[in-house]
């Protein structure tokens, strides 16, 4: 099965890192699109929180984002289709009841970071699984910019944002941060969502 190690990892320990999850030419096309959007000035400073409490806090994160929509390019459609196939397999094998996948390009210019956080909103736990695809073909260790994932028992894991690497983890379980990057850092960051729980009523 195409996604079997990823799904086994998620089931057993709640996270997985897949190198070469997509071929180099596909991540290159996504990187080109992300850079083009950045050059066009359509990427916007990322906000924190939801709805009325949404606000840009440059002390917490300093990336710029653009949501992917189907039909915007062949490269992003291919990725959305792949992630939809993964969503269906996660539902078949782990019964996660994931209803959709949402994702955005993220562009971290030199000096940008994202301080430690969880990917679940306080008032909405529908984001179940985080999936980040990295798009940087020539990443070097001294570029910084690692994703640091805080695991159980005080352990942590640093993931280099190498082109084609996909990291997935249970969104509500692992605090994580993006360490300051020295060079442009490009990714597609996304979440598999369940239907938002209805408020309990009498
Ligand atoms: C996020 C995030 C991690 C990364 O956007 O919520 O944690 O490695 N991104 O880009
Ligand atoms: Mn996050």
């Amino acid at each position: 099965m195409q996604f079997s190690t990823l799904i086994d990892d998620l089931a057993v320990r709640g996270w997985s890192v897949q190198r070469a999850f997509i071929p180099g030419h596909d991540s290159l096309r996504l990187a080109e699109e992300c850079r083009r959007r950045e050059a066009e000035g359509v990427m916007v400073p990322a906000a924190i929180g939801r709805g009325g409490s949404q606000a840009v806090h440059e002390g917490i994160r300093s990336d710029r984002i653009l949501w992917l929509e189907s039909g915007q390019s062949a490269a992003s459609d291919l990725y959305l289709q792949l992630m939809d196939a993964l969503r269906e397999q996660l539902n078949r094998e782990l019964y996660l009841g994931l209803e959709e996948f949402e994702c955005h390009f993220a562009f971290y210019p030199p000096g940008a970071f994202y301080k430690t956080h969880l990917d679940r909103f306080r008032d909405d736990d529908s984001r179940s699984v985080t999936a980040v695809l990295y798009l940087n073909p020539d990443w070097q260790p001294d570029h910084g910019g690692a994703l640091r994932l805080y695991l159980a028992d005080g352990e942590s894991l640093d993931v280099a944002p190498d082109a084609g690497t996909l990291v997935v983890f249970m969104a509500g379980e692992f605090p994580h941060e993006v360490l300051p990057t020295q060079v442009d850092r490009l990714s597609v960051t996304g979440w598999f969502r369940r239907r938002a729980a209805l408020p309990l009523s009498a």
Side-chain angles (χ1 to χ4, degrees), residues 46 61 63 65 104 106 108 114-115 117-119 127 130 132-134 145-148 159 161 167 169 176-179 185-191:
R61 66 186 295 187
D63 55 326
I65 69 164
H104 59 62
Y108 288 69
Y114 192 165
K115 295 252 169 91
H117 64 282
L118 280 172
D119 281 351
R127 284 182 171 178
T130 302
V132 189
L133 176 74
Y134 298 109
L147 168 69
R148 181 164 291 167
V159 181
V167 56
F169 54 91
H176 56 280
E177 66 178 311
V178 177
L179 301 178
R185 177 192 194 270
L186 282 54
S187 63
V188 181
T189 301
W191 297 272

PDB file of all heavy atoms in Angstrom, residues 46 61 63 65 104 106 108 114-115 117-119 127 130 132-134 145-148 159 161 167 169 176-179 185-191, ligand 1:
ATOM      1  N   ALA A  46       0.633  35.528   8.161  1.00  0.00           N
ATOM      2  CA  ALA A  46      -0.224  34.510   8.756  1.00  0.00           C
ATOM      3  C   ALA A  46      -0.827  35.029  10.055  1.00  0.00           C
ATOM      4  O   ALA A  46      -0.168  35.716  10.820  1.00  0.00           O
ATOM      5  CB  ALA A  46       0.586  33.254   9.010  1.00  0.00           C
ATOM      6  N   ARG A  61       4.693  34.289  15.053  1.00  0.00           N
ATOM      7  CA  ARG A  61       5.049  33.704  13.761  1.00  0.00           C
ATOM      8  C   ARG A  61       5.251  34.821  12.752  1.00  0.00           C
ATOM      9  O   ARG A  61       4.610  35.860  12.828  1.00  0.00           O
ATOM     10  CB  ARG A  61       3.986  32.712  13.285  1.00  0.00           C
ATOM     11  CG  ARG A  61       2.654  33.347  12.960  1.00  0.00           C
ATOM     12  CD  ARG A  61       1.599  32.307  12.628  1.00  0.00           C
ATOM     13  NE  ARG A  61       1.896  31.556  11.410  1.00  0.00           N
ATOM     14  CZ  ARG A  61       1.018  30.693  10.867  1.00  0.00           C
ATOM     15  NH1 ARG A  61      -0.160  30.481  11.434  1.00  0.00           N
ATOM     16  NH2 ARG A  61       1.329  30.052   9.772  1.00  0.00           N
ATOM     17  N   ASP A  63       5.725  34.057   9.165  1.00  0.00           N
ATOM     18  CA  ASP A  63       5.628  33.572   7.788  1.00  0.00           C
ATOM     19  C   ASP A  63       4.502  34.280   7.049  1.00  0.00           C
ATOM     20  O   ASP A  63       3.683  34.965   7.647  1.00  0.00           O
ATOM     21  CB  ASP A  63       5.399  32.050   7.771  1.00  0.00           C
ATOM     22  CG  ASP A  63       4.191  31.610   8.597  1.00  0.00           C
ATOM     23  OD1 ASP A  63       3.910  32.244   9.643  1.00  0.00           O
ATOM     24  OD2 ASP A  63       3.527  30.647   8.205  1.00  0.00           O
ATOM     25  N   ILE A  65       1.450  33.443   4.053  1.00  0.00           N
ATOM     26  CA  ILE A  65       0.753  32.259   3.537  1.00  0.00           C
ATOM     27  C   ILE A  65      -0.201  32.592   2.389  1.00  0.00           C
ATOM     28  O   ILE A  65      -0.606  33.741   2.207  1.00  0.00           O
ATOM     29  CB  ILE A  65      -0.050  31.546   4.660  1.00  0.00           C
ATOM     30  CG1 ILE A  65      -1.235  32.406   5.116  1.00  0.00           C
ATOM     31  CG2 ILE A  65       0.849  31.182   5.829  1.00  0.00           C
ATOM     32  CD1 ILE A  65      -2.265  31.627   5.921  1.00  0.00           C
ATOM     33  N   HIS A 104      -2.089  25.484   2.921  1.00  0.00           N
ATOM     34  CA  HIS A 104      -1.615  26.749   2.359  1.00  0.00           C
ATOM     35  C   HIS A 104      -0.118  26.684   2.081  1.00  0.00           C
ATOM     36  O   HIS A 104       0.616  25.952   2.735  1.00  0.00           O
ATOM     37  CB  HIS A 104      -1.936  27.932   3.280  1.00  0.00           C
ATOM     38  CG  HIS A 104      -1.371  27.870   4.673  1.00  0.00           C
ATOM     39  ND1 HIS A 104      -0.012  27.848   4.939  1.00  0.00           N
ATOM     40  CD2 HIS A 104      -1.991  27.840   5.880  1.00  0.00           C
ATOM     41  CE1 HIS A 104       0.168  27.816   6.250  1.00  0.00           C
ATOM     42  NE2 HIS A 104      -1.007  27.795   6.850  1.00  0.00           N
ATOM     43  N   ALA A 106       3.388  28.273   2.607  1.00  0.00           N
ATOM     44  CA  ALA A 106       3.963  29.134   3.643  1.00  0.00           C
ATOM     45  C   ALA A 106       5.353  29.548   3.182  1.00  0.00           C
ATOM     46  O   ALA A 106       6.139  28.713   2.714  1.00  0.00           O
ATOM     47  CB  ALA A 106       4.042  28.405   4.978  1.00  0.00           C
ATOM     48  N   TYR A 108       8.671  31.529   4.570  1.00  0.00           N
ATOM     49  CA  TYR A 108       9.400  32.127   5.686  1.00  0.00           C
ATOM     50  C   TYR A 108      10.616  32.839   5.120  1.00  0.00           C
ATOM     51  O   TYR A 108      11.554  32.180   4.671  1.00  0.00           O
ATOM     52  CB  TYR A 108       9.874  31.053   6.671  1.00  0.00           C
ATOM     53  CG  TYR A 108       8.807  30.395   7.513  1.00  0.00           C
ATOM     54  CD1 TYR A 108       7.859  29.544   6.952  1.00  0.00           C
ATOM     55  CD2 TYR A 108       8.772  30.595   8.897  1.00  0.00           C
ATOM     56  CE1 TYR A 108       6.892  28.929   7.744  1.00  0.00           C
ATOM     57  CE2 TYR A 108       7.806  29.978   9.691  1.00  0.00           C
ATOM     58  CZ  TYR A 108       6.876  29.148   9.111  1.00  0.00           C
ATOM     59  OH  TYR A 108       5.925  28.540   9.885  1.00  0.00           O
ATOM     60  N   TYR A 114       8.321  30.341  13.856  1.00  0.00           N
ATOM     61  CA  TYR A 114       6.977  30.160  14.411  1.00  0.00           C
ATOM     62  C   TYR A 114       7.180  29.526  15.778  1.00  0.00           C
ATOM     63  O   TYR A 114       7.637  28.390  15.870  1.00  0.00           O
ATOM     64  CB  TYR A 114       6.131  29.272  13.491  1.00  0.00           C
ATOM     65  CG  TYR A 114       4.644  29.209  13.779  1.00  0.00           C
ATOM     66  CD1 TYR A 114       3.772  28.693  12.831  1.00  0.00           C
ATOM     67  CD2 TYR A 114       4.095  29.656  14.976  1.00  0.00           C
ATOM     68  CE1 TYR A 114       2.404  28.623  13.056  1.00  0.00           C
ATOM     69  CE2 TYR A 114       2.729  29.593  15.218  1.00  0.00           C
ATOM     70  CZ  TYR A 114       1.894  29.078  14.251  1.00  0.00           C
ATOM     71  OH  TYR A 114       0.551  29.003  14.479  1.00  0.00           O
ATOM     72  N   LYS A 115       6.877  30.277  16.823  1.00  0.00           N
ATOM     73  CA  LYS A 115       7.133  29.812  18.192  1.00  0.00           C
ATOM     74  C   LYS A 115       6.261  28.605  18.546  1.00  0.00           C
ATOM     75  O   LYS A 115       5.255  28.331  17.896  1.00  0.00           O
ATOM     76  CB  LYS A 115       6.854  30.956  19.160  1.00  0.00           C
ATOM     77  CG  LYS A 115       7.806  32.146  18.992  1.00  0.00           C
ATOM     78  CD  LYS A 115       8.783  32.237  20.151  1.00  0.00           C
ATOM     79  CE  LYS A 115       9.888  33.235  19.874  1.00  0.00           C
ATOM     80  NZ  LYS A 115       9.557  34.591  20.339  1.00  0.00           N
ATOM     81  N   HIS A 117       3.724  25.922  19.553  1.00  0.00           N
ATOM     82  CA  HIS A 117       2.254  25.988  19.570  1.00  0.00           C
ATOM     83  C   HIS A 117       1.683  24.602  19.294  1.00  0.00           C
ATOM     84  O   HIS A 117       2.409  23.692  18.894  1.00  0.00           O
ATOM     85  CB  HIS A 117       1.766  26.967  18.498  1.00  0.00           C
ATOM     86  CG  HIS A 117       2.111  26.529  17.105  1.00  0.00           C
ATOM     87  ND1 HIS A 117       3.369  26.689  16.572  1.00  0.00           N
ATOM     88  CD2 HIS A 117       1.382  25.894  16.150  1.00  0.00           C
ATOM     89  CE1 HIS A 117       3.394  26.176  15.354  1.00  0.00           C
ATOM     90  NE2 HIS A 117       2.197  25.672  15.077  1.00  0.00           N
ATOM     91  N   LEU A 118       0.382  24.473  19.490  1.00  0.00           N
ATOM     92  CA  LEU A 118      -0.372  23.295  19.043  1.00  0.00           C
ATOM     93  C   LEU A 118      -1.239  23.733  17.870  1.00  0.00           C
ATOM     94  O   LEU A 118      -1.616  24.896  17.781  1.00  0.00           O
ATOM     95  CB  LEU A 118      -1.285  22.785  20.166  1.00  0.00           C
ATOM     96  CG  LEU A 118      -0.660  21.939  21.265  1.00  0.00           C
ATOM     97  CD1 LEU A 118      -1.693  21.706  22.372  1.00  0.00           C
ATOM     98  CD2 LEU A 118      -0.162  20.600  20.724  1.00  0.00           C
ATOM     99  N   ASP A 119      -1.596  22.792  16.986  1.00  0.00           N
ATOM    100  CA  ASP A 119      -2.362  23.183  15.799  1.00  0.00           C
ATOM    101  C   ASP A 119      -3.871  23.138  16.010  1.00  0.00           C
ATOM    102  O   ASP A 119      -4.620  23.297  15.060  1.00  0.00           O
ATOM    103  CB  ASP A 119      -1.986  22.288  14.615  1.00  0.00           C
ATOM    104  CG  ASP A 119      -0.672  22.722  14.002  1.00  0.00           C
ATOM    105  OD1 ASP A 119      -0.157  23.787  14.377  1.00  0.00           O
ATOM    106  OD2 ASP A 119      -0.160  21.986  13.148  1.00  0.00           O
ATOM    107  N   ARG A 127      -9.299  20.193  13.570  1.00  0.00           N
ATOM    108  CA  ARG A 127      -8.024  19.849  12.935  1.00  0.00           C
ATOM    109  C   ARG A 127      -7.445  18.625  13.646  1.00  0.00           C
ATOM    110  O   ARG A 127      -7.037  18.710  14.800  1.00  0.00           O
ATOM    111  CB  ARG A 127      -7.031  21.002  13.051  1.00  0.00           C
ATOM    112  CG  ARG A 127      -7.328  22.125  12.082  1.00  0.00           C
ATOM    113  CD  ARG A 127      -6.295  23.220  12.196  1.00  0.00           C
ATOM    114  NE  ARG A 127      -6.480  24.184  11.116  1.00  0.00           N
ATOM    115  CZ  ARG A 127      -5.749  25.281  10.968  1.00  0.00           C
ATOM    116  NH1 ARG A 127      -4.782  25.552  11.829  1.00  0.00           N
ATOM    117  NH2 ARG A 127      -5.973  26.094   9.975  1.00  0.00           N
ATOM    118  N   THR A 130      -1.950  17.053  11.217  1.00  0.00           N
ATOM    119  CA  THR A 130      -1.174  18.066  10.495  1.00  0.00           C
ATOM    120  C   THR A 130      -0.297  17.365   9.455  1.00  0.00           C
ATOM    121  O   THR A 130       0.243  16.286   9.732  1.00  0.00           O
ATOM    122  CB  THR A 130      -0.259  18.819  11.478  1.00  0.00           C
ATOM    123  OG1 THR A 130      -1.061  19.419  12.490  1.00  0.00           O
ATOM    124  CG2 THR A 130       0.579  19.885  10.782  1.00  0.00           C
ATOM    125  N   VAL A 132       2.815  18.566   6.728  1.00  0.00           N
ATOM    126  CA  VAL A 132       3.616  19.635   6.126  1.00  0.00           C
ATOM    127  C   VAL A 132       4.556  19.031   5.082  1.00  0.00           C
ATOM    128  O   VAL A 132       5.310  18.101   5.375  1.00  0.00           O
ATOM    129  CB  VAL A 132       4.460  20.391   7.182  1.00  0.00           C
ATOM    130  CG1 VAL A 132       5.094  21.640   6.551  1.00  0.00           C
ATOM    131  CG2 VAL A 132       3.628  20.774   8.391  1.00  0.00           C
ATOM    132  N   LEU A 133       4.490  19.578   3.875  1.00  0.00           N
ATOM    133  CA  LEU A 133       5.387  19.169   2.789  1.00  0.00           C
ATOM    134  C   LEU A 133       6.399  20.283   2.558  1.00  0.00           C
ATOM    135  O   LEU A 133       6.019  21.441   2.377  1.00  0.00           O
ATOM    136  CB  LEU A 133       4.577  18.955   1.497  1.00  0.00           C
ATOM    137  CG  LEU A 133       5.414  18.624   0.261  1.00  0.00           C
ATOM    138  CD1 LEU A 133       5.940  17.190   0.337  1.00  0.00           C
ATOM    139  CD2 LEU A 133       4.596  18.832  -1.016  1.00  0.00           C
ATOM    140  N   TYR A 134       7.680  19.931   2.559  1.00  0.00           N
ATOM    141  CA  TYR A 134       8.733  20.947   2.374  1.00  0.00           C
ATOM    142  C   TYR A 134       9.178  21.016   0.920  1.00  0.00           C
ATOM    143  O   TYR A 134       9.134  20.026   0.186  1.00  0.00           O
ATOM    144  CB  TYR A 134       9.906  20.637   3.308  1.00  0.00           C
ATOM    145  CG  TYR A 134       9.471  20.692   4.748  1.00  0.00           C
ATOM    146  CD1 TYR A 134       9.356  19.533   5.502  1.00  0.00           C
ATOM    147  CD2 TYR A 134       9.090  21.901   5.321  1.00  0.00           C
ATOM    148  CE1 TYR A 134       8.903  19.582   6.811  1.00  0.00           C
ATOM    149  CE2 TYR A 134       8.633  21.962   6.621  1.00  0.00           C
ATOM    150  CZ  TYR A 134       8.540  20.806   7.364  1.00  0.00           C
ATOM    151  OH  TYR A 134       8.070  20.860   8.649  1.00  0.00           O
ATOM    152  N   GLY A 145      15.912  26.794  10.505  1.00  0.00           N
ATOM    153  CA  GLY A 145      14.606  26.517   9.916  1.00  0.00           C
ATOM    154  C   GLY A 145      14.046  25.125  10.133  1.00  0.00           C
ATOM    155  O   GLY A 145      13.082  24.744   9.461  1.00  0.00           O
ATOM    156  N   ALA A 146      14.618  24.356  11.071  1.00  0.00           N
ATOM    157  CA  ALA A 146      14.064  23.018  11.316  1.00  0.00           C
ATOM    158  C   ALA A 146      12.684  23.126  11.954  1.00  0.00           C
ATOM    159  O   ALA A 146      12.375  24.104  12.646  1.00  0.00           O
ATOM    160  CB  ALA A 146      14.992  22.213  12.228  1.00  0.00           C
ATOM    161  N   LEU A 147      11.866  22.123  11.711  1.00  0.00           N
ATOM    162  CA  LEU A 147      10.655  21.927  12.505  1.00  0.00           C
ATOM    163  C   LEU A 147      11.081  21.140  13.747  1.00  0.00           C
ATOM    164  O   LEU A 147      11.686  20.064  13.623  1.00  0.00           O
ATOM    165  CB  LEU A 147       9.626  21.100  11.723  1.00  0.00           C
ATOM    166  CG  LEU A 147       8.444  20.593  12.568  1.00  0.00           C
ATOM    167  CD1 LEU A 147       7.547  21.735  13.009  1.00  0.00           C
ATOM    168  CD2 LEU A 147       7.645  19.548  11.778  1.00  0.00           C
ATOM    169  N   ARG A 148      10.817  21.690  14.936  1.00  0.00           N
ATOM    170  CA  ARG A 148      11.127  20.952  16.168  1.00  0.00           C
ATOM    171  C   ARG A 148       9.823  20.472  16.775  1.00  0.00           C
ATOM    172  O   ARG A 148       8.951  21.270  17.124  1.00  0.00           O
ATOM    173  CB  ARG A 148      11.900  21.823  17.152  1.00  0.00           C
ATOM    174  CG  ARG A 148      12.254  21.079  18.436  1.00  0.00           C
ATOM    175  CD  ARG A 148      13.329  21.804  19.215  1.00  0.00           C
ATOM    176  NE  ARG A 148      14.630  21.754  18.531  1.00  0.00           N
ATOM    177  CZ  ARG A 148      15.682  22.502  18.867  1.00  0.00           C
ATOM    178  NH1 ARG A 148      15.599  23.344  19.877  1.00  0.00           N
ATOM    179  NH2 ARG A 148      16.826  22.397  18.189  1.00  0.00           N
ATOM    180  N   VAL A 159      13.213  18.205  12.250  1.00  0.00           N
ATOM    181  CA  VAL A 159      13.037  17.758  10.868  1.00  0.00           C
ATOM    182  C   VAL A 159      13.542  18.864   9.949  1.00  0.00           C
ATOM    183  O   VAL A 159      13.072  20.009  10.020  1.00  0.00           O
ATOM    184  CB  VAL A 159      11.544  17.479  10.558  1.00  0.00           C
ATOM    185  CG1 VAL A 159      11.385  16.989   9.125  1.00  0.00           C
ATOM    186  CG2 VAL A 159      10.961  16.482  11.546  1.00  0.00           C
ATOM    187  N   PRO A 161      13.742  20.915   6.557  1.00  0.00           N
ATOM    188  CA  PRO A 161      12.687  21.141   5.558  1.00  0.00           C
ATOM    189  C   PRO A 161      13.133  20.851   4.128  1.00  0.00           C
ATOM    190  O   PRO A 161      13.011  21.687   3.239  1.00  0.00           O
ATOM    191  CB  PRO A 161      12.334  22.620   5.770  1.00  0.00           C
ATOM    192  CG  PRO A 161      13.607  23.234   6.255  1.00  0.00           C
ATOM    193  CD  PRO A 161      14.304  22.179   7.073  1.00  0.00           C
ATOM    194  N   VAL A 167       6.023  15.665   6.733  1.00  0.00           N
ATOM    195  CA  VAL A 167       5.894  15.283   8.140  1.00  0.00           C
ATOM    196  C   VAL A 167       4.415  15.334   8.487  1.00  0.00           C
ATOM    197  O   VAL A 167       3.708  16.255   8.096  1.00  0.00           O
ATOM    198  CB  VAL A 167       6.767  16.184   9.059  1.00  0.00           C
ATOM    199  CG1 VAL A 167       6.460  17.645   8.894  1.00  0.00           C
ATOM    200  CG2 VAL A 167       6.603  15.791  10.521  1.00  0.00           C
ATOM    201  N   PHE A 169       1.595  14.573  11.822  1.00  0.00           N
ATOM    202  CA  PHE A 169       1.461  14.272  13.252  1.00  0.00           C
ATOM    203  C   PHE A 169       0.060  14.620  13.727  1.00  0.00           C
ATOM    204  O   PHE A 169      -0.653  15.393  13.076  1.00  0.00           O
ATOM    205  CB  PHE A 169       2.539  14.993  14.082  1.00  0.00           C
ATOM    206  CG  PHE A 169       2.613  16.490  13.883  1.00  0.00           C
ATOM    207  CD1 PHE A 169       1.882  17.343  14.698  1.00  0.00           C
ATOM    208  CD2 PHE A 169       3.426  17.051  12.907  1.00  0.00           C
ATOM    209  CE1 PHE A 169       1.954  18.728  14.540  1.00  0.00           C
ATOM    210  CE2 PHE A 169       3.511  18.433  12.731  1.00  0.00           C
ATOM    211  CZ  PHE A 169       2.770  19.269  13.563  1.00  0.00           C
ATOM    212  N   HIS A 176       4.982  22.121  18.814  1.00  0.00           N
ATOM    213  CA  HIS A 176       6.070  22.179  17.826  1.00  0.00           C
ATOM    214  C   HIS A 176       6.372  23.628  17.496  1.00  0.00           C
ATOM    215  O   HIS A 176       5.567  24.516  17.777  1.00  0.00           O
ATOM    216  CB  HIS A 176       5.694  21.397  16.562  1.00  0.00           C
ATOM    217  CG  HIS A 176       4.407  21.849  15.938  1.00  0.00           C
ATOM    218  ND1 HIS A 176       3.172  21.452  16.420  1.00  0.00           N
ATOM    219  CD2 HIS A 176       4.150  22.683  14.907  1.00  0.00           C
ATOM    220  CE1 HIS A 176       2.219  22.025  15.697  1.00  0.00           C
ATOM    221  NE2 HIS A 176       2.787  22.791  14.770  1.00  0.00           N
ATOM    222  N   GLU A 177       7.548  23.844  16.920  1.00  0.00           N
ATOM    223  CA  GLU A 177       7.934  25.193  16.514  1.00  0.00           C
ATOM    224  C   GLU A 177       8.796  25.124  15.260  1.00  0.00           C
ATOM    225  O   GLU A 177       9.375  24.081  14.950  1.00  0.00           O
ATOM    226  CB  GLU A 177       8.688  25.913  17.630  1.00  0.00           C
ATOM    227  CG  GLU A 177      10.034  25.314  17.982  1.00  0.00           C
ATOM    228  CD  GLU A 177      10.746  26.112  19.080  1.00  0.00           C
ATOM    229  OE1 GLU A 177      10.821  27.350  18.950  1.00  0.00           O
ATOM    230  OE2 GLU A 177      11.221  25.490  20.040  1.00  0.00           O
ATOM    231  N   VAL A 178       8.853  26.264  14.559  1.00  0.00           N
ATOM    232  CA  VAL A 178       9.770  26.402  13.429  1.00  0.00           C
ATOM    233  C   VAL A 178      10.904  27.300  13.904  1.00  0.00           C
ATOM    234  O   VAL A 178      10.689  28.458  14.279  1.00  0.00           O
ATOM    235  CB  VAL A 178       9.074  27.013  12.196  1.00  0.00           C
ATOM    236  CG1 VAL A 178      10.080  27.213  11.067  1.00  0.00           C
ATOM    237  CG2 VAL A 178       7.909  26.134  11.741  1.00  0.00           C
ATOM    238  N   LEU A 179      12.120  26.750  13.921  1.00  0.00           N
ATOM    239  CA  LEU A 179      13.284  27.530  14.357  1.00  0.00           C
ATOM    240  C   LEU A 179      13.593  28.598  13.316  1.00  0.00           C
ATOM    241  O   LEU A 179      13.290  28.419  12.129  1.00  0.00           O
ATOM    242  CB  LEU A 179      14.475  26.589  14.548  1.00  0.00           C
ATOM    243  CG  LEU A 179      14.249  25.477  15.584  1.00  0.00           C
ATOM    244  CD1 LEU A 179      15.472  24.568  15.670  1.00  0.00           C
ATOM    245  CD2 LEU A 179      13.922  26.057  16.955  1.00  0.00           C
ATOM    246  N   ARG A 185      12.367  29.836   3.251  1.00  0.00           N
ATOM    247  CA  ARG A 185      11.923  28.478   3.605  1.00  0.00           C
ATOM    248  C   ARG A 185      10.499  28.308   3.093  1.00  0.00           C
ATOM    249  O   ARG A 185       9.608  29.052   3.488  1.00  0.00           O
ATOM    250  CB  ARG A 185      11.961  28.324   5.117  1.00  0.00           C
ATOM    251  CG  ARG A 185      11.466  26.976   5.660  1.00  0.00           C
ATOM    252  CD  ARG A 185      11.300  27.120   7.161  1.00  0.00           C
ATOM    253  NE  ARG A 185      11.138  25.869   7.889  1.00  0.00           N
ATOM    254  CZ  ARG A 185       9.967  25.298   8.122  1.00  0.00           C
ATOM    255  NH1 ARG A 185       8.850  25.819   7.640  1.00  0.00           N
ATOM    256  NH2 ARG A 185       9.903  24.183   8.850  1.00  0.00           N
ATOM    257  N   LEU A 186      10.305  27.327   2.205  1.00  0.00           N
ATOM    258  CA  LEU A 186       9.020  27.175   1.527  1.00  0.00           C
ATOM    259  C   LEU A 186       8.374  25.847   1.909  1.00  0.00           C
ATOM    260  O   LEU A 186       9.067  24.825   2.019  1.00  0.00           O
ATOM    261  CB  LEU A 186       9.230  27.178   0.008  1.00  0.00           C
ATOM    262  CG  LEU A 186       9.455  28.502  -0.724  1.00  0.00           C
ATOM    263  CD1 LEU A 186      10.601  29.314  -0.150  1.00  0.00           C
ATOM    264  CD2 LEU A 186       9.685  28.236  -2.201  1.00  0.00           C
ATOM    265  N   SER A 187       7.056  25.852   2.078  1.00  0.00           N
ATOM    266  CA  SER A 187       6.348  24.610   2.391  1.00  0.00           C
ATOM    267  C   SER A 187       4.894  24.714   1.967  1.00  0.00           C
ATOM    268  O   SER A 187       4.397  25.800   1.649  1.00  0.00           O
ATOM    269  CB  SER A 187       6.417  24.328   3.890  1.00  0.00           C
ATOM    270  OG  SER A 187       5.748  25.354   4.592  1.00  0.00           O
ATOM    271  N   VAL A 188       4.240  23.553   1.976  1.00  0.00           N
ATOM    272  CA  VAL A 188       2.774  23.507   1.929  1.00  0.00           C
ATOM    273  C   VAL A 188       2.346  22.894   3.250  1.00  0.00           C
ATOM    274  O   VAL A 188       2.683  21.744   3.542  1.00  0.00           O
ATOM    275  CB  VAL A 188       2.239  22.647   0.770  1.00  0.00           C
ATOM    276  CG1 VAL A 188       0.705  22.680   0.776  1.00  0.00           C
ATOM    277  CG2 VAL A 188       2.759  23.131  -0.571  1.00  0.00           C
ATOM    278  N   THR A 189       1.653  23.675   4.060  1.00  0.00           N
ATOM    279  CA  THR A 189       1.239  23.218   5.390  1.00  0.00           C
ATOM    280  C   THR A 189      -0.263  22.963   5.367  1.00  0.00           C
ATOM    281  O   THR A 189      -1.014  23.805   4.872  1.00  0.00           O
ATOM    282  CB  THR A 189       1.568  24.311   6.420  1.00  0.00           C
ATOM    283  OG1 THR A 189       2.969  24.548   6.378  1.00  0.00           O
ATOM    284  CG2 THR A 189       1.175  23.871   7.815  1.00  0.00           C
ATOM    285  N   GLY A 190      -0.659  21.790   5.892  1.00  0.00           N
ATOM    286  CA  GLY A 190      -2.080  21.465   5.795  1.00  0.00           C
ATOM    287  C   GLY A 190      -2.593  20.671   6.976  1.00  0.00           C
ATOM    288  O   GLY A 190      -1.822  20.188   7.818  1.00  0.00           O
ATOM    289  N   TRP A 191      -3.908  20.550   7.001  1.00  0.00           N
ATOM    290  CA  TRP A 191      -4.581  19.812   8.080  1.00  0.00           C
ATOM    291  C   TRP A 191      -5.718  18.986   7.527  1.00  0.00           C
ATOM    292  O   TRP A 191      -6.508  19.470   6.713  1.00  0.00           O
ATOM    293  CB  TRP A 191      -5.145  20.788   9.125  1.00  0.00           C
ATOM    294  CG  TRP A 191      -4.063  21.559   9.794  1.00  0.00           C
ATOM    295  CD1 TRP A 191      -3.356  21.183  10.906  1.00  0.00           C
ATOM    296  CD2 TRP A 191      -3.515  22.824   9.390  1.00  0.00           C
ATOM    297  NE1 TRP A 191      -2.409  22.129  11.201  1.00  0.00           N
ATOM    298  CE2 TRP A 191      -2.484  23.150  10.289  1.00  0.00           C
ATOM    299  CE3 TRP A 191      -3.801  23.708   8.337  1.00  0.00           C
ATOM    300  CZ2 TRP A 191      -1.748  24.316  10.183  1.00  0.00           C
ATOM    301  CZ3 TRP A 191      -3.068  24.868   8.228  1.00  0.00           C
ATOM    302  CH2 TRP A 191      -2.053  25.167   9.149  1.00  0.00           C
TER     303      TRP A 191
HETATM  304  C1  LIG B   1       2.203  25.596  11.177  1.00  0.00           C
HETATM  305  C2  LIG B   1       3.483  24.897  11.444  1.00  0.00           C
HETATM  306  C3  LIG B   1       5.460  23.807  10.632  1.00  0.00           C
HETATM  307  C4  LIG B   1       6.478  23.867   9.536  1.00  0.00           C
HETATM  308  O1  LIG B   1       2.091  26.264  10.136  1.00  0.00           O
HETATM  309  O2  LIG B   1       1.284  25.465  12.015  1.00  0.00           O
HETATM  310  O3  LIG B   1       3.671  24.478  12.553  1.00  0.00           O
HETATM  311  O4  LIG B   1       7.438  23.098   9.605  1.00  0.00           O
HETATM  312  N1  LIG B   1       4.362  24.677  10.437  1.00  0.00           N
HETATM  313  O5  LIG B   1       6.337  24.684   8.631  1.00  0.00           O
END
